[in-house]
Amino acid sequence: METRLFRQNVVFGAGALGSWLGARLAPPAVLVARGEHAQAMRASGLRLAGIENAVVPVDVADACPPLEADALLLLTVKATDLAAAARAVRERLREDTVVAVVANGLAPQEILGEALGRPVVRVVAEFGATLDGPGRVSAWGGRALLLHGVREDRVAAALAPTGLRVERIDDLARHSWEKLALNCVANPLAGLTGRRNGDLADDDLADLRLAVAREVMAVAALDGVDLPDELPERIDLVLARSRNLNSMAQDLARGRPTEIEHLNGFVARQAEAFGIDAPLNRWLAALIRLREGKTD
Ligand code: KPL
């Protein structure tokens, strides 16, 4: 396995997740961030909690810096911001830059890959992080899934010091649908209740979680991807072990647009295109649109 580290790591879109990953990558990344969070990190470093308690000095930039030879550019952006991120980094890429993405949605690597005209490594993230305030992030680890491959091996080596369980997969389509199912269960429920992932594993919500996951499984099957019957149980376990406030709850708390159209909204539209109904995903998407202040 190729484990040579990159000479430079840059994280574009360093919010909660990107800041934590970037601070702990080997070598530590330049964090491209803006606003109060960037200011606080510049002034006092990044304060980490959860998986470790530490204050880490970080290198912050407000735009993608010039990339050195043999660099990793890791994009940790919202599914809604992939096109804008591609525009913001395109001019900086060198021929040997490895681009990787940690993002929600079925295939963010394809959207970015198309926009950038190069292959993009997908890191399927079964982990999250919470921005507790400007310059303050809490994270509790989890699984990061990567395909086998030379570029993937190097990204895995860069991720090793984060403490994530980096696991290798053969079937990206299957794991992408599984991750989408996790997000379709967890994100709108947190968005509606403001509760952390662990709380969403409540027994009283078991039937709802199961029914939402089964709808996603039905759509995946029509897309040619058979998901394992035990997936709903695995989703429950991931949630029970996770203590972060998921990204949709954080977006809504900050009055930001959510990723709902890439999650439950996407599943509901795909279901319709396949001639079936996914009513729970459709209703959850409608409820989140209402919370966002959108009604169409
Ligand atoms: O992807 C996530 C998110 O917050 O969007 C999970 C895995 C649910 C972690 O919170």
Side-chain angles (χ1 to χ4, degrees), residues 95-116:
E95 211 160 300
D96 66 351
T97 307
V98 172
V99 183
V101 63
V102 179
N104 287 335
L106 189 59
Q109 76 283 4
E110 283 175 18
I111 299 173
L112 264 183
E114 209 163 293
L116 296 175

Side-chain angles (χ1 to χ4, degrees), residues 27 45 56 130 163 167 195-196 201 216 230 267 271 274:
V56 188
T130 308
E167 291 179 17
R195 302 300 291 257
R196 289 178 179 256
V216 181
E230 66 277 12
V267 169
F274 286 126

Side-chain angles (χ1 to χ4, degrees), residues 62-75:
D62 55 11
C64 185
L67 296 173
E68 292 169 17
D70 196 27
L72 168 67
L73 176 63
L74 177 65
L75 293 105

